[in-house]
Amino acid sequence: MAKQFSRREFIKIGGLGLGGAAVGTGIAHSVLGGLGTSPALANPVLSGAIDGVVSTTPTVCEICFWKCAGWVHAVDGQPWKITGNEADTHCNGRLCPRGTGGLGAYLDEDRLRTPLIRTSAHGKQAFREASWDEALTHIAEKLQKIADEHGPECVALFTHGSGGSFFKHVLRAYGSNNISAPSYAQCRGPREEAYTLTFGEGVFSPERTDIRNTRCLVLIGSHLGENMHNTQVQEFADMVGDGGSVITVDPRYSVAASKSKYWLPIRPATDMALMLAWINVIVEEQLYDKDYVESYTYGLDALKHSVRDYTPEWAYPITTIKPQLIRETAREMAHHKPATLIHPGRHVTWYGDDTQRVRAGAILNALLGSWGRRGGFFYPNKASIPKYKYPKYPTPTRTWKDAYPKQFPLANLALANGICDATIPSPERDCSFKGWLVYGTNLLMTLPQPKKTIEAIQNLDLLVAIDLMPAEITGWADVVLPECSYLERYDDLRVSPGRVPAVALRAPAFEPKFNSKPGWWIARELGIKMGLEKYFPWQNIEEYLESRLGGTGISLDELKKKGVINLEERDPIYFEDGVQPEFDTPTGKIELYSTQLEEYGFDPVPKYTAHDRPPEGFMRLLYGRAPMHTFGRTTNNPLLTGLMPENEVWINRWVARLLGIDHEQYVVLVNQDGVRSNKIKAKVTERIRHDCVYMVHGFGHSDKRMRKAFLRGADDAQLVTRVKIDPIMGGTGMRVNFVAVEAA
Amino acid sequence: MARYGMVIDTKRCVGCADCVVACQTENNVPEGFCRDWIVEALDGEYPDLRMEIRSERCNHCENAPCVRCCPTGASQITDGGIVLVEEAECTGCKACIASCPYDARFVHPEGYVDKCTFCYHRVKEGQDPACVAVCPTKCMHFGDLEDPHSEVSKLLRSRPNHALIPEAGTKPKIFYLT
């Protein structure tokens, strides 16, 4: 609990132009201006040494994908703080630590400052600074050359974040549809496909989980509270505070486990066995919602038949969860139905059978009747804001899928790893990818097997990285374009699914620092240089936004004042309130038995397959999230770094004793292929099983331009040299790597 | 006269540290320092574990050793029982730091001792401290312990709770619901 963090040299807030005086000082004075009593103390917060005018600008947070609306407070134009927008249902006026610390994204002195072009002289490569005009002209020429020689379809976009929408537009106008986000095949893709196969639609983001009304919440590896998805965690706290029942399945005693009625410390990679045993108990003991199942579902008999041997006694030696506990928890779920929510998870690309595993959870939800019901999954509303009317895009003649004939039939979005692999030339393919545009995603950390990613990059004619920070991917780029932070730019409107349809605006609170530019500006200027003027009829973003709002009755000025506007017209969100139970599946029913999986030759009902166990001397590598960080994007943020400057590897106390590892000792992780991690501190703890280790993702940056994050902690992605591919939708199961622990 | 205190529900708290960042930006706490922090107190052996997660800070003690030991009078108890440090009178001698059983104080880089003020500037305006206002789990409550109708008083009457290191006899005014 020492108050001084062990940090490197950081930007000082005094360097912002307030002459070293407290930023909060000015604010406090103006806020306290009307007190009438002179404060007795000379504390700067109380004395108000500086006069200041407080201004607030609406924003939508970009530190994670929850996109909470907030207010940026400034004193005389200098940053002070960010608070949540009270009207916003994504945050209810309360941001999470990352949103509260969002100013750090703006303040970071290590930000990219100006466009960079890779040069090569005398065998040495280096970046040289370039003007925007030169950098964009260079990119446009290279893209033209690729289009002439190979076709525009050989260029792909990898994107993560709001500004990506403008680059998607550029790519489509150019003639390619190869737009991918690692958030699909490296994260929640299997979940969306599993729920679509079962219920005819996905879970979406933010999740349509009705946790605030849930009476029994089942978390399978989901560590709510450590993954700080704002309102989801708010509702989790409400639910726990109200005495709701939580069942947490996790090899680690997570924060959520500490709030649970039942913690099931399962053997890693055996979740499917537990879920099948739960299904077995629920159908054998007839604990399911009979009316619901009879009215809305298809395939109960086939399901019963399929799970008849998956008894709790069968699951016990696999999972190490005692049969009585499996029965007891199954009954607990049934007791609270339909307000029982088997959480669908978010990052679910674990073992390669992920669509099937998530589907087992979907089937449990169907049996308990929670889909479409209060306390389960609601039917979200979404504001109807028409898209900007652009001229028709050219029709691509090829897509990434042509590289994978007859594979991944149910991949509804492009696979980032698939595009990466198809960049490495192969005799079986006519054409490989020649150009990548990478917006806001650090592919060296977000994709598994970074060596393969680098091999792919070596085969590119052009790699453009658009980013705020000098993330590792920018070090491999031919051209680096510095985007300004979300606090310095407009973006497209936030129109997300949720209980309440809403529109939210991000407006710039500050001028772009250095020579950085907003994404929309970069995309437009690039498009014009590429000869795509007709696709950019709007001159600036405000014109674009006003055009989109036209006809909605909402003006840009009103949005600037309110930040978020909740629409009055709302449809019901539960079956019991009038939602029509219609399911967009081939049978028109909730498919316990999936006719689509049957058609494509996959198991129509999930089956258990055993996964490899760690070899002797090794433990399974698990990774997850911390509430104050979003992947590797925040580990250099001067306001968030101090909260967690480096990650730790969690090691069971008895294992550590056997290995002679002390708490807080630095260790190195060595994986099954001999890859060694950067040194990482050992957290020797009772809170994890003996057969796995755990670390928070996003640390161990290897680019020294990020001075605060450079070589702080270890990078799990580097150790993910093996993946198991989900044959249904192409996701990369990444929890299939094993590590040994050595003293550093 | 109000007697301000805090009641923190450890059942709801997830230890996200939002209270820490909100305090830092609200009060311009210099980088590398914090006025509040998170403790995860674990009890038991695998797999029989219990954990209490707490947001901790200055307890604004009624019997405050930091105030008693301050040679210049810089540390003092002000309106509402809030313990504050008058920076101009603080010589940075650190006697208060040594006397605080909660390790709640630090030397500000400008030479004076700094710590949680319960966001005195906000409280004067009738607002909650920044940490309370920001908390996504609404686990923190601020109010007048003297007023039997205040939320904090009601919570203390209705829920089991404890303060930290009561044996030090400092009469702390932050209580943790269990």
Side-chain angles (χ1 to χ4, degrees):
Chain A
M1 109 179 50
K3 287 317 107 39
Q4 181 150 22
F5 298 124
S6 54
R7 284 178 162 181
R8 297 184 175 205
E9 187 187 341
F10 290 164
I11 168 185
K12 296 206 169 27
I13 292 188
L16 292 171
L18 280 180
V23 172
T25 305
I27 235 20
H29 179 73
S30 58
V31 170
L32 293 174
L35 261 188
T37 54
S38 53
L41 299 171
N43 185 303
V45 170
L46 305 176
S47 65
I50 292 179
D51 274 309
V53 177
V54 185
S55 59
T56 52
T57 311
T59 192
V60 171
C61 188
E62 184 70 20
I63 307 288
C64 91
F65 38 71
W66 209 256
K67 296 184 185 156
C68 301
W71 296 105
V72 186
H73 304 248
V75 185
D76 291 341
Q78 298 298 326
W80 174 29
K81 64 178 177 182
I82 307 176
T83 58
N85 187 323
E86 293 283 345
D88 185 31
T89 55
H90 288 228
C91 72
N92 300 316
R94 291 160 182 258
L95 297 178
C96 85
R98 298 163 299 164
T100 305
L103 277 176
Y106 168 74
L107 297 173
D108 199 326
E109 280 292 312
D110 294 342
R111 281 172 52 174
L112 293 167
R113 293 176 178 233
T114 196
L116 302 170
I117 295 179
R118 178 180 295 269
T119 61
S120 180
H122 313 296
K124 258 191 110 171
Q125 295 189 11
F127 281 128
R128 68 174 171 81
E129 296 189 353
S131 68
W132 279 99
D133 184 61
E134 185 191 6
L136 295 175
T137 304
H138 180 80
I139 297 167
E141 285 171 5
K142 288 266 189 181
L143 287 172
Q144 187 59 52
K145 192 158 180 277
I146 294 173
D148 292 345
E149 290 174 5
H150 309 283
E153 298 90 346
C154 285
V155 176
L157 170 69
F158 299 84
T159 174
H160 193 278
S162 306
S165 63
F166 296 104
F167 292 92
K168 289 180 190 174
H169 173 56
V170 171
L171 200 75
R172 289 194 179 113
Y174 169 69
S176 169
N177 228 348
N178 294 310
I179 296 166
S180 75
S183 53
Y184 182 72
Q186 281 68 50
C187 196
R188 61 192 174 92
R191 179 188 82 181
E192 294 308 296
E193 302 314 341
Y195 274 72
T196 305
L197 287 166
T198 312
F199 298 104
E201 50 187 289
V203 178
F204 311 143
S205 176
E207 279 81 358
R208 61 201 293 179
T209 47
D210 195 26
I211 296 176
R212 74 177 179 206
N213 294 310
T214 301
R215 297 309 299 159
C216 177
L217 176 66
V218 184
L219 300 173
I220 298 159
S222 291
H223 46 7
L224 298 192
E226 286 162 283
N227 63 15
M228 200 61 208
H229 304 156
N230 197 342
T231 28
Q232 186 164 234
V233 176
Q234 293 189 15
E235 295 187 19
F236 175 59
D238 285 344
M239 188 229 159
V240 170
D242 291 345
S245 172
V246 183
I247 300 168
T248 296
V249 180
D250 201 315
R252 187 176 65 95
Y253 189 69
S254 59
V255 165
S258 79
K259 314 225 172 262
S260 300
K261 183 169 176 185
Y262 297 96
W263 173 41
L264 278 47
I266 194 167
R267 172 183 280 143
T270 66
D271 312 78
M272 179 77 105
L274 174 66
M275 285 195 278
L276 292 170
W278 274 341
I279 294 173
N280 173 288
V281 174
I282 285 169
V283 297
E284 290 296 326
E285 298 189 11
Q286 301 198 21
L287 298 172
Y288 52 88
D289 186 329
K290 292 186 190 70
D291 291 344
Y292 184 99
V293 167
E294 192 176 320
S295 306
Y296 304 140
T297 71
Y298 171 81
L300 178 65
D301 289 339
L303 176 71
K304 273 184 181 166
H305 181 76
S306 183
V307 301
R308 70 191 184 284
D309 294 330
Y310 295 136
T311 61
E313 285 71 19
W314 163 82
Y316 175 37
I318 298 171
T319 61
T320 74
I321 307 297
K322 292 203 166 74
Q324 186 48 37
L325 191 54
I326 295 176
R327 287 205 167 82
E328 196 178 322
T329 44
R331 289 168 192 157
E332 174 85 4
M333 289 181 229
H335 174 71
H336 292 286
K337 72 175 184 289
T340 294
L341 177 73
I342 289 83
H343 195 284
R346 185 157 179 129
H347 175 85
V348 291
T349 44
W350 299 350
Y351 307 118
D353 57 354
D354 304 304
T355 304
Q356 292 285 16
R357 185 190 67 251
V358 177
R359 224 179 85 72
I363 289 169
L364 279 166
N365 279 311
L367 291 171
L368 298 171
S370 71
W371 182 268
R373 310 277 282 279
R374 193 172 269 103
F377 295 82
F378 60 82
Y379 273 73
N381 276 293
K382 193 169 176 182
S384 167
I385 310 281
K387 288 201 164 124
Y388 193 95
K389 287 210 175 14
Y390 288 118
K392 195 176 176 308
Y393 295 127
T395 308
T397 55
R398 285 169 285 149
T399 80
W400 69 275
K401 267 204 168 183
D402 298 332
Y404 301 95
K406 294 190 182 148
Q407 289 185 70
F408 320 127
L410 292 163
N412 282 314
L413 292 174
L415 307 176
N417 52 299
I419 288 175
C420 183
D421 291 354
T423 302
I424 300 169
S426 152
E428 293 153 27
R429 265 197 311 274
D430 302 339
C431 179
S432 305
F433 284 96
K434 299 292 179 188
W436 289 3
L437 305 183
V438 184
Y439 174 85
T441 175
N442 186 14
L443 295 182
L444 276 311
M445 275 192 177
T446 55
L447 292 181
Q449 302 173 297
K451 274 194 173 160
K452 207 169 174 189
T453 308
I454 291 167
E455 189 192 343
I457 287 171
Q458 302 302 348
N459 288 287
L460 288 171
D461 293 346
L462 177 69
L463 170 51
V464 180
I466 305 131
D467 217 314
L468 172 69
M469 297 300 298
E472 282 75 8
I473 185 69
T474 66
W476 294 97
D478 299 305
V479 186
V480 181
L481 302 178
E483 193 186 21
C484 59
S485 75
Y486 72 104
L487 301 172
E488 303 156 280
R489 68 181 201 238
Y490 279 108
D491 256 305
D492 210 338
L493 302 169
R494 188 201 76 188
V495 186
S496 313
R499 295 186 184 96
V500 176
V503 186
L505 176 72
R506 171 184 296 156
F510 312 110
E511 285 295 311
K513 271 191 168 191
F514 315 122
N515 191 20
S516 64
K517 297 283 185 188
W520 65 264
W521 183 93
I522 303 171
R524 186 174 187 281
E525 293 297 311
L526 177 61
I528 288 167
K529 289 216 186 294
M530 289 162 71
L532 304 172
E533 293 89 347
K534 72 169 178 175
Y535 290 98
F536 290 93
W538 43 275
Q539 299 301 307
N540 59 55
I541 186 77
E542 281 162 294
E543 195 183 312
Y544 167 88
L545 293 171
E546 270 166 358
S547 166
R548 274 204 77 187
L549 287 168
T552 62
I554 299 168
S555 73
L556 186 58
D557 277 343
E558 189 187 3
L559 260 184
K560 281 190 202 170
K561 284 191 197 98
K562 295 181 176 168
V564 59
I565 291 175
N566 295 319
L567 307 186
E568 291 305 319
E569 310 80 53
R570 294 168 200 180
D571 292 327
I573 61 172
Y574 307 117
F575 292 161
E576 52 264 47
D577 292 346
V579 172
Q580 282 307 306
E582 290 166 356
F583 309 98
D584 189 12
T585 58
T587 57
K589 299 257 185 183
I590 299 171
E591 294 202 348
L592 306 174
Y593 181 97
S594 171
T595 53
Q596 289 177 84
L597 288 176
E598 182 190 34
E599 182 190 337
Y600 287 107
F602 300 111
D603 293 332
V605 176
K607 286 200 167 80
Y608 178 70
T609 42
H611 297 296
D612 292 343
R613 290 193 188 165
E616 199 178 336
F618 285 81
M619 291 168 278
R620 187 179 298 272
L621 174 65
L622 302 177
Y623 50 81
R625 303 285 302 273
M628 62 290 285
H629 285 299
T630 303
F631 325 130
R633 301 172 73 182
T634 53
T635 41
N636 205 67
N637 176 315
L639 288 173
L640 300 176
T641 309
L643 299 176
M644 187 179 182
E646 59 187 279
N647 57 355
E648 299 171 315
V649 58
W650 296 41
I651 303 170
N652 173 278
R653 183 168 67 96
W654 288 101
V655 172
R657 181 180 287 187
L658 284 172
L659 295 172
I661 302 288
D662 293 329
H663 184 54
E664 300 208 330
Q665 176 186 345
Y666 278 100
V667 297
V668 169
L669 306 178
V670 186
N671 83 351
Q672 70 281 330
D673 296 319
V675 171
R676 299 174 70 83
S677 75
N678 188 37
K679 66 175 185 170
I680 179 171
K681 223 183 245 182
K683 176 184 171 112
V684 174
T685 179
E686 301 283 346
R687 291 174 61 186
I688 192 163
R689 283 175 62 99
H690 65 281
D691 47 9
C692 53
V693 297
Y694 171 82
M695 61 200 277
V696 170
H697 172 74
F699 287 87
H701 278 288
S702 58
D703 196 316
K704 64 183 174 190
R705 293 175 296 172
M706 293 196 284
R707 288 172 292 175
K708 290 180 282 293
F710 178 57
L711 294 184
R712 298 296 293 267
D715 172 19
D716 55 296
Q718 183 200 5
L719 298 166
V720 179
T721 51
R722 297 188 188 186
V723 293
K724 284 251 169 73
I725 304 285
D726 189 326
I728 296 175
M729 52 61 70
T732 53
M734 297 184 279
R735 294 185 177 172
V736 297
N737 291 269
F738 306 108
V739 293
V741 181
E742 293 179 4
Chain B
M1 178 64 80
R3 191 166 64 92
Y4 289 117
M6 225 179 243
V7 173
I8 300 175
D9 189 344
T10 64
K11 278 197 172 164
R12 300 179 71 104
C13 178
V14 297
C16 74
D18 204 3
C19 45
V20 181
V21 202
C23 171
Q24 286 172 326
T25 57
E26 176 72 31
N27 296 301
N28 189 30
V29 177
E31 293 200 30
F33 297 89
C34 56
R35 293 177 176 182
D36 52 355
W37 60 93
I38 299 294
V39 170
E40 289 182 342
L42 186 73
D43 196 22
E45 288 190 8
Y46 175 93
D48 181 20
L49 299 167
R50 289 163 301 284
M51 186 165 71
E52 181 175 286
I53 306 176
R54 295 191 298 262
S55 169
E56 296 188 1
R57 61 190 46 62
C58 169
N59 277 273
H60 296 271
C61 304
E62 286 179 61
N63 182 18
C66 54
V67 172
R68 275 186 284 120
C69 77
C70 177
T72 68
S75 279
Q76 50 187 269
I77 296 181
T78 188
D79 304 347
I82 297 177
V83 177
L84 293 176
V85 180
E86 188 177 349
E87 71 178 64
E89 296 203 3
C90 176
T91 61
C93 77
K94 304 181 193 163
C96 56
I97 292 179
S99 78
C100 175
Y102 306 106
D103 198 10
R105 294 173 162 238
F106 59 91
V107 181
H108 191 283
E110 289 175 16
Y112 58 90
V113 167
D114 199 14
K115 65 165 199 71
C116 163
T117 65
F118 265 172
C119 281
Y120 188 63
H121 61 291
R122 290 173 59 97
V123 173
K124 281 254 184 187
E125 289 287 292
Q127 297 174 325
D128 277 333
C131 55
V132 176
V134 78
C135 176
T137 68
K138 294 189 193 145
C139 77
M140 300 166 73
H141 308 269
F142 180 81
D144 184 2
L145 299 168
E146 207 67 10
D147 174 4
H149 304 295
S150 69
E151 193 188 19
V152 285
S153 298
K154 285 183 194 161
L155 283 167
L156 289 178
R157 280 198 304 273
S158 63
R159 298 264 307 266
N161 62 82
H162 68 94
L164 297 179
I165 325 182
E167 62 275 20
T170 59
K171 297 193 179 168
K173 294 209 297 288
I174 295 183
F175 301 90
Y176 294 92
L177 303 176
T178 55

